[in-house]
Amino acid sequence: MNPVHKKFSRRARVATGGAVLAAVALAGFGAVSANASAPATPPAAAAAVAERGTTTSTHLTIDAATKAAQAALDAAEKENQRVTVAVVDRNGNTVVTLRGDGAGPQSYESAERKAFTAVSWNAPTSQLAERLEQAPNLKDIPGTLFLAGGVAVTANNAPIAGIGVAGAPSGALDEKFAQAGANAIAR
């Protein structure tokens, strides 16, 4: 009997042999799979879209969004208000959020939702809150908050961002601070 076989039990030899067979089988399967998945013909070139089938949009840079948020936060701090400021892009995605020292935990989400609401309707949220009298179901739209404190930022009369502020004792103050942020980046 081979001296190597004496050192391993029958169970160990079977397990080792099974592992070797599995490795060989997988290697063969991988080669077959790789060949089976290769395309028979080269892929078609990407289709070019005519220029009239596309649109270009304007977005705030991160620097401009940060400048606006900081200006809004500074305006609030000058009046000893503890707020959170959020800036969202045209699609309602948050670009930057600054939570001021001592701002309440509810202010974070409220600021984002006010900014989203303002950019979605291209109007200050104080005006939108008044529309609830005629259309109370507006408040049911996900992600919106129809309370004063949000303003839209525009370029060429089109909304490109929203600034929302929350945490001051009134929506009028929140909106005043949001407007200070918009003014900081106005041309």
Side-chain angles (χ1 to χ4, degrees):
M1 186 170 221
N2 187 338
V4 174
H5 289 281
K6 290 181 182 176
K7 291 182 181 179
F8 291 109
S9 69
R10 184 173 201 280
R11 183 179 288 170
R13 286 189 306 240
V14 170
T16 303
V20 170
L21 285 174
V24 170
L26 285 175
F29 179 76
V32 171
S33 294
N35 290 334
S37 65
T41 58
V49 176
E51 201 170 307
R52 67 182 182 273
T54 64
T55 185
T56 302
S57 59
T58 303
H59 298 271
L60 282 183
T61 64
I62 187 70
D63 290 339
T66 302
K67 180 179 178 179
Q70 188 63 57
L73 190 61
D74 290 346
E77 288 176 350
K78 284 180 185 173
E79 295 191 29
N80 295 316
Q81 298 301 314
R82 298 173 177 159
V83 300
T84 297
V85 181
V87 180
V88 300
D89 66 12
R90 173 63 187 110
N91 300 319
N93 299 310
T94 303
V95 178
V96 65
T97 302
L98 298 178
R99 185 174 175 271
D101 294 336
Q106 79 290 352
S107 66
Y108 192 91
E109 183 179 350
S110 296
E112 286 182 330
R113 290 175 60 191
K114 288 178 182 184
F116 175 82
T117 305
V119 74
S120 295
W121 277 273
N122 192 23
T125 54
S126 59
Q127 289 177 9
L128 297 170
E130 294 170 6
R131 293 185 193 175
L132 287 178
E133 293 173 16
Q134 291 81 30
N137 290 346
L138 281 177
K139 70 181 180 332
D140 297 333
I141 297 172
T144 59
L145 185 59
F146 291 89
L147 297 175
V151 298
V153 177
T154 62
N156 299 322
N157 296 322
I160 61 167
I163 302 173
V165 177
S170 74
L173 280 175
D174 285 340
E175 199 158 303
K176 174 183 172 182
F177 305 143
Q179 189 61 54
N183 292 345
I185 57 173
R187 296 179 194 205

